[in-house]
């Protein structure tokens, strides 16, 4: 069926629009391109709209010194585009970005991508059964199907500290890095000690004059065991691709075993705590500093981090760790929880992302003009992380409750891309005008996973970006990657309404 009949003047019309050209958006575009004939969906009828001026998503945006992946590269890559020659066990940001670019070229996706396309509104047009999108620069697009692949961690979070606007020096955020700011020899305040900060601090410490690190809650950190991959190993994987497959599968199983610990945690996590405490003892001699960096919550409650160079960086003479966090910002420095005012030339916010509010209010509007972000409030939900009742023909990749604390998001992304492709295949094959998940199915699914999440380690009492103020968890998938794949292996068509005909008459 051709869906392009109701194009408006000045609007570019497509069959499918994908928002975001990061790992998820590109996987989706590749998946549709690979099956273009079977789907009757030529690549030129599918566009990928990207806000930035280059593809890569989080790996293009996050460019702070030290940025790297904390999931091993042989697992943090597409299963259909394994790379035999990763330079290290954990690849740095630049190498991951190069990989994404190379894959986009190889699968000819670049020609489908519109960069610099910041979508400011996406509205469901009920009469025409199309999504109508408006970009910040005035461009307009429409398509019957919209797939959002904008990532769960793409809106930087700034703390609400009094006086932030009064600071006169440069202000950076790890997710909005500006290479032009010269940090050499400067006094730099870093606020936050999450995954981004622990990668950044070891890189900044030798370059700056003094580094004041404001820690509110210490993270649990495990040894990283990162190392360059030997040339002979790369050569062997190039010659025998099955070796990279075996390596990937081994990593996947080892990581997935941890998901059991996150859900039924006690024994395993006690062992993990001993390991993490030993890591602190082996890298820090000063008992005061050891105490400061030792968390008082269970391992796994917040994201478990991996680093071998963070604790040694804290031991440097020019690095000073202040507990209790930053409480206010002044024109020339930071006020710590201990009441001390410390001057700073530059402030770096390593304060993370708005994970429980991945979408701002006023952007996505479904049936009856319902605003998706307002409808979600601070606890987004989606049936199988992919569809939301009231928002027909809208599919999410990396949607609510698809995040992982233990393994590679690429596995989740590929499973969702296959699932969405199947929703599209049947809709197109049968001339379905609207496909929408049933509200009861969505509510049942949401209840089930919230019940599981309520018993998991993430609900054991700490505060983290995984959970809302009132303790609900809209971010994580409570299980293994295998369980996620299995859930999405088949579409439960009874959970969907498929409507066809001009008025969207009900079919199934
Ligand atoms: P984050 O984990 O949310 O960390 C934010 C930090 O800011 C926390 O330590 C938080 O303390 C702190 N903070 C907030 N307000 C503060 C204040 N007033 N004073 C002092 N500290 C304050 O953010 P992130 O480090 O950017 O990481 C977010 C996620 O991105 C990670 O968990 C991970 O999923 C992803 N990431 C991945 C990689 C990778 O290698 N793959 C690298 C970076 C990030 P509290 O803990 O007390 O809230």
């Amino acid at each position: 069926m051709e869906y392009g009949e109701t194009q408006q003047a000045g609007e570019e019309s497509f069959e499918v629009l994908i928002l975001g050209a990061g790992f998820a958006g590109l996987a989706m575009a590749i998946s549709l391109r690979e099956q273009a004939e079977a789907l009757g969906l030529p690549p030129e009828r599918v566009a990928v709209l990207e806000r930035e001026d280059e593809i890569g998503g989080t790996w293009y945006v996050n460019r702070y010194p030290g940025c790297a992946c904390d999931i091993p590269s042989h697992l943090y890559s597409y299963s259909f585009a394994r790379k035999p020659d990763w330079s290290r066990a954990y690849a740095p940001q630049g190498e991951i970005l190069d990989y994404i670019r190379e894959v986009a070229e190889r699968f000819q996706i670049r020609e489908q991508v519109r960069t610099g396309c910041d979508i400011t509104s996406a509205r469901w047009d009920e009469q025409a059964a199309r999504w109508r999108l408006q970009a910040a620069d005035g461009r307009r697009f429409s398509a019957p199907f919209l797939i959002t692949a904008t990532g769960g961690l793409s809106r930087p979070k700034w703390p609400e500290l009094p006086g932030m606007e009064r600071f006169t020096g440069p202000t950076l955020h790890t997710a909005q890095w500006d290479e032009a700011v010269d940090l050499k020899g400067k006094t730099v305040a870093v606020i936050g000690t999450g995954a981004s900060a622990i990668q950044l601090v070891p890189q900044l410490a030798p370059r700056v004059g003094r580094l004041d690190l404001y820690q509110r809650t210490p993270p649990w950190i495990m040894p990283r065991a990162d190392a360059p991959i030997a040339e002979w190993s790369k050569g062997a994987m190039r010659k025998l691709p099955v070796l990279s497959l075996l390596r990937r599968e081994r990593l996947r199983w080892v990581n997935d075993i941890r998901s059991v610990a996150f859900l039924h945690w006690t024994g395993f996590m006690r062992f993990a705590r001993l390991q993490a405490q030993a890591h602190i003892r082996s890298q820090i001699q000063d008992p005061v500093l050891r105490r400061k960096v030792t968390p008082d919550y269970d391992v796994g409650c917040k994201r478990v981090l991996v680093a071998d160079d963070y604790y040694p960086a804290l031991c440097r003479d020019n690095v000073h760790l202040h507990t209790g966090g930053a409480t206010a910002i002044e024109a020339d420095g930071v006020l710590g929880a201990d009441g001390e005012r410390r001057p700073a030339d530059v402030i770096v916010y390593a304060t993370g992302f708005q994970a429980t509010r991945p979408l701002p209010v006023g952007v996505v509007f479904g049936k009856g003009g319902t605003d998706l972000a307002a409808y979600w409030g601070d606890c987004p939900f989606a049936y199988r992380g992919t569809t939301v009742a009231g928002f027909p023909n809208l599919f999410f990749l990396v949607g609510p409750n698809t995040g992982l604390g233990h393994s590679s998001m690429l596995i989740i992304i590929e499973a969702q891309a296959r699932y969405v492709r199947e929703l599209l295949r049947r809709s197109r094959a049968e001339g379905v005008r609207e496909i929408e998940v049933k509200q009861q199915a969505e509510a049942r699914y949401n209840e089930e996973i919230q019940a599981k999440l309520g018993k998991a380690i993430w609900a054991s009492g700490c505060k983290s970006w995984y959970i809302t103020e009132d303790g609900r968890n809209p971010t994580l998938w409570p299980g293994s990657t295998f369980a996620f794949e299995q859930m999405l292996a088949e579409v439960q068509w009874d959970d969907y309404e498929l409507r066809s005909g001009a008025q969207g008459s009900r079919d199934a």
Side-chain angles (χ1 to χ4, degrees):
M1 173 175 173
E2 258 304 311
Y3 290 83
E5 321 87 9
T6 47
Q7 180 182 2
Q8 291 181 346
E11 180 184 82
E12 273 191 271
S13 155
F14 293 92
E15 294 296 305
V16 177
L17 288 169
I18 300 170
L19 290 191
F23 265 124
L26 295 176
M28 189 72 241
I30 292 169
S31 175
L32 295 181
R33 197 172 176 114
E34 294 284 278
Q35 299 269 318
E37 249 177 63
L39 294 166
L41 193 54
E44 63 273 16
R45 303 297 299 141
V46 178
V48 183
L49 309 180
E50 168 57 50
R51 178 174 60 186
E52 303 295 329
D53 56 8
E54 172 59 316
I55 66 169
T58 198
W59 296 104
Y60 177 68
V61 170
N62 285 272
R63 278 174 272 180
Y64 58 84
C67 183
C69 189
D70 59 9
I71 297 294
S73 308
H74 280 283
L75 189 56
Y76 196 78
S77 38
Y78 293 123
S79 66
F80 56 83
R82 296 195 309 279
K83 178 172 154 66
D85 52 1
W86 287 108
S87 67
R88 311 183 64 83
Y90 296 88
Q93 172 260 342
E95 190 176 357
I96 299 171
L97 185 58
D98 286 346
Y99 167 77
I100 295 173
R101 288 172 169 148
E102 191 268 312
V103 172
E105 299 291 345
R106 197 188 326 162
F107 289 88
Q108 298 170 288
I109 300 300
R110 268 202 188 266
E111 61 208 48
Q112 290 172 251
V113 180
R114 311 295 171 92
T115 51
C117 196
D118 183 8
I119 296 301
T120 50
S121 94
R123 270 179 197 278
W124 175 244
D125 177 339
E126 293 182 41
Q127 292 299 315
R130 298 180 76 80
W131 282 95
R132 298 203 187 276
L133 277 62
Q134 171 93 44
D137 61 4
R139 278 181 286 176
R140 292 191 293 129
F141 306 88
S142 82
F145 297 100
L146 175 62
I147 302 168
T148 79
T150 50
L153 301 174
S154 55
R155 298 181 71 207
K157 183 173 178 180
W158 297 82
E160 287 169 20
L161 296 173
M164 277 172 69
E165 69 296 343
R166 290 207 301 272
F167 184 65
T168 51
T171 295
L172 299 171
H173 191 288
T174 47
Q176 291 175 348
W177 198 258
D178 181 356
E179 288 91 350
V181 176
D182 181 18
L183 298 171
K184 196 158 182 275
K186 299 276 166 56
T187 297
V188 177
V190 177
I191 298 179
T193 52
S196 303
I198 69 151
Q199 294 180 340
L200 173 75
V201 167
Q203 297 298 313
L204 285 195
R207 278 163 56 183
V208 302
R210 175 185 166 108
L211 194 156
D212 288 295
L213 178 58
Y214 292 86
Q215 168 191 280
R216 195 165 60 185
T217 318
W220 280 113
I221 302 177
M222 294 293 183
R224 184 173 171 88
D226 187 19
I229 294 177
E231 286 306 320
W232 66 262
S233 171
K234 293 182 203 169
M237 282 194 220
R238 256 186 236 114
K239 282 205 187 88
L240 279 176
V242 70
L243 292 179
S244 67
L245 178 66
L246 289 174
R247 186 165 189 155
R248 181 187 173 85
E249 288 307 305
R250 183 179 62 79
L251 287 165
R252 182 171 176 189
W253 276 94
V254 168
N255 278 284
D256 254 5
I257 286 168
R258 291 191 203 139
S259 69
V260 181
F262 286 132
L263 295 174
H264 315 281
W265 36 286
T266 36
F268 184 89
M269 288 311 186
R270 270 200 293 274
F271 173 70
R273 176 187 282 255
L274 292 177
Q275 207 188 346
Q277 285 168 332
H279 189 40
I280 294 172
R281 280 197 305 275
S282 71
Q283 296 203 309
I284 299 177
Q285 302 312 314
D286 174 6
V288 177
L289 185 56
R290 277 184 184 171
R291 262 199 306 282
K292 282 182 175 178
V293 299
T294 303
D296 61 2
Y297 55 87
D298 288 311
V299 177
C301 187
K302 282 170 171 297
R303 188 178 168 102
V304 180
L305 309 184
V306 289
D308 292 331
D309 52 1
Y310 175 68
Y311 292 141
L314 298 190
C315 297
R316 291 174 60 98
D317 288 342
N318 70 333
V319 176
H320 306 269
L321 180 71
H322 311 293
T323 54
T327 53
I329 305 296
E330 309 203 327
D332 60 352
V334 176
L335 180 68
D338 53 3
E340 283 285 322
R341 294 181 159 71
R342 296 182 190 88
D345 301 316
V346 180
I347 299 180
V348 178
Y349 291 91
T351 45
F353 302 88
Q354 301 183 50
T356 58
R357 290 187 183 267
L359 180 74
V361 171
V363 178
V364 177
F365 300 91
K367 273 182 6 193
T370 303
D371 182 320
L372 180 57
Y375 177 58
W376 273 344
D378 69 352
C379 195
F381 51 86
Y383 171 81
R384 299 183 177 201
T386 313
T387 46
V388 178
F391 295 81
N393 298 13
L394 173 63
F395 311 124
F396 297 89
L397 298 185
V398 192
N401 293 110
T402 59
L404 298 175
H406 70 283
S407 189
S408 171
M409 281 306 290
L410 279 273
I411 303 169
I412 299 294
I413 285 169
E414 288 185 34
Q416 280 195 294
R418 285 191 294 271
Y419 183 83
V420 169
R421 189 177 67 191
E422 177 57 14
L423 295 176
L424 280 173
R425 187 203 57 75
R426 179 166 170 192
S427 300
R428 291 183 54 78
E430 297 181 13
V432 168
R433 183 179 150 98
E434 293 176 19
I435 176 167
E436 183 183 350
V437 67
K438 293 178 184 164
Q439 197 133 32
Q440 311 90 293
E442 179 184 275
R444 191 184 61 231
Y445 172 79
N446 202 32
E447 256 170 51
E448 274 168 23
I449 66 163
Q450 286 301 327
K452 273 194 193 165
L453 286 159
K455 293 186 215 130
I457 191 146
W458 310 297
S460 64
C462 70
K463 281 196 168 177
S464 75
W465 62 258
Y466 294 153
I467 55 175
T468 60
E469 283 297 313
D470 62 3
R472 287 171 297 161
N473 188 328
T475 56
L476 292 184
W477 162 246
S480 66
T481 60
F482 293 102
F484 191 84
E485 272 183 346
Q486 197 187 5
M487 174 178 75
L488 293 193
E490 276 184 30
V491 177
Q492 306 295 312
W493 291 105
D494 288 349
D495 287 344
Y496 285 94
E497 266 188 33
L498 306 178
R499 296 184 287 265
S500 59
Q503 301 306 315
S505 56
R506 185 179 295 195
D507 272 1

